[in-house]
Amino acid sequence: MSTQYGIGRLGNLAAKAVFRLLNSDDPDAIYEVSGNPHSQQGLVSLLPAGGGSSLSARFTDLVAVDEFSAGWLLGYASGNEPNFSSADLPPSRILREREFYYTNGYPLPVQRSGLFCINASYDGQGAVDVASVYRSYGRIFKGISDWAGRELAWAPVVDGQVLNGLLCSGPTSSDIGNLFNRVNPGPYTADAPTDWELRLLTRDGGLLFDTLEAYLSFERVSDTAYATNFTVNLDAEPISLIDVDVDRVSRSISTLFSGIVQDASVDCASISPSKAAKLGEGILFSIDQHSDPVLAFPGWLTFISARVANRYVDQVDSVPRDFAVTNTGNGVLIEFQRGVEAFGLREANSLARCFEE
């Protein structure tokens, strides 16, 4: 066996995938693959070559010690990368997700994956009122169709695969409830042990964006309460802010954003371009002293409801100078004044850090 990796012969490990770990307390320690823990995409189970307890690591933290291990690592990463096809999403979106996965060792969160991402969340007190949530989601879908100028056909997405047999055009609250039940294990109950989610995709979205994706979820924030979340990812191919009318893009997205804020009665909502959303720091909002924080995303436009703004008066008053704060009656709108084309990771993080407690 070659010694170019600086460890000499590996003896009985020669036929196994073996690695060092980046940033390990023992940089010379060798680990062999013991399996896939299946707890999170991108994680690998390892055993110390000299014996000891198993551990998990991201594949991006593994340093192959021979050619066999390097090949195994490439195969593992390729076999777990996002598996959308170009028939479902624009090539630029697929490339964006794959590049993120190979760089960070975990999938790009769906809330951050669109060319433009609109995220909204609401934190209710007590157990979630499922019927009210479904009605709210139904209003949003109607608003999206109105914005696109046509009724859109949505298909559920499960594990990256589009279920074309479950197409739903202009989903009502009943349709949304049925879809949730079809793609989640068992009917929803107030004491459901896991979060619920539904991911829908539509093509031929019209206007500037030909692919729209919606992500709906109930997120457990305490033993008795859930936050409801809604994401709309907008994608098109090809599109570049350099080549299009930025004012038209921003006006179009702002119209959709305003409708979602109104239809969902949200606590926080934002629009982020992908360059700012992918690695931006989130904002954790607490509605009151009894609720766990809810994750929000700082954006070029960020809306905060009145009940949230009342708890964060000092933070709202001290936003960075590139942002303007406007009272809207039901909350405040924080707008990045240099426009969407100038809103990047640095600007997103400057707003997020303003809200750190």
Side-chain angles (χ1 to χ4, degrees), residues 1-251:
M1 176 177 292
S2 169
T3 61
Q4 63 176 305
Y5 296 90
I7 64 167
R9 292 188 173 272
L10 295 175
N12 61 359
L13 294 179
K16 297 182 179 181
V18 287
F19 304 93
R20 290 194 182 96
L21 281 179
L22 289 176
N23 305 315
S24 172
D25 293 336
D26 184 359
D28 294 324
I30 301 297
Y31 301 87
E32 61 180 278
V33 172
S34 62
N36 183 345
H38 297 291
S39 58
Q40 188 176 26
Q41 191 174 355
L43 287 183
V44 179
S45 288
L46 303 171
L47 281 174
S53 301
S54 64
L55 69 156
S56 296
R58 296 198 183 281
F59 74 87
T60 49
D61 292 330
L62 305 184
V63 180
V65 300
D66 57 18
E67 289 85 351
F68 174 83
S69 300
W72 183 95
L73 188 58
L74 179 61
Y76 173 83
S78 298
N80 287 275
E81 68 183 15
N83 58 352
F84 277 113
S85 73
S86 57
D88 299 322
L89 287 174
S92 61
R93 165 70 175 276
I94 297 171
L95 179 63
R96 190 184 314 134
E97 293 208 16
R98 287 178 176 168
E99 287 182 341
F100 184 92
Y101 176 71
Y102 277 96
T103 300
N104 298 280
Y106 58 92
L108 179 62
V110 65
Q111 298 93 334
R112 301 169 179 253
S113 55
L115 179 66
F116 292 94
C117 322
I118 299 178
N119 285 288
S121 64
Y122 174 81
D123 185 14
Q125 299 298 313
V128 63
D129 181 347
V130 180
S132 295
V133 173
Y134 289 159
R135 285 194 295 271
S136 175
Y137 288 157
R139 290 193 298 270
I140 293 176
F141 278 107
K142 182 180 184 305
I144 294 174
S145 290
D146 291 343
W147 171 80
R150 62 173 63 86
E151 192 172 77
L152 302 172
W154 297 86
V157 179
V158 177
D159 295 331
Q161 301 301 307
V162 180
L163 305 182
N164 290 304
L166 290 177
L167 283 169
C168 188
S169 181
T172 64
S173 59
S174 177
D175 295 327
I176 294 168
N178 290 334
L179 290 172
F180 261 103
N181 281 301
R182 292 290 295 273
V183 303
N184 288 279
Y188 177 83
T189 61
D191 58 351
T194 59
D195 300 338
W196 260 33
E197 62 181 22
L198 175 62
R199 193 171 178 179
L200 300 170
L201 188 70
T202 186
R203 292 178 286 276
D204 190 27
L207 297 178
L208 297 170
F209 306 96
D210 51 20
T211 304
L212 308 179
E213 181 182 30
Y215 176 74
L216 308 75
S217 70
F218 305 153
E219 175 190 357
R220 182 182 291 275
V221 295
S222 73
D223 290 340
T224 59
Y226 279 76
T228 59
N229 305 284
F230 193 98
T231 294
V232 180
N233 290 318
L234 303 102
D235 277 293
E237 181 69 34
I239 188 170
S240 167
L241 290 179
I242 297 175
D243 302 326
V244 302
D245 184 340
V246 174
D247 287 339
R248 184 185 175 206
V249 171
S250 60
R251 287 196 304 270

Side-chain angles (χ1 to χ4, degrees), residues 271-283:
I271 306 173
S272 296
S274 62
K275 63 180 181 179
K278 285 191 293 184
L279 289 172
E281 298 172 8
I283 301 174

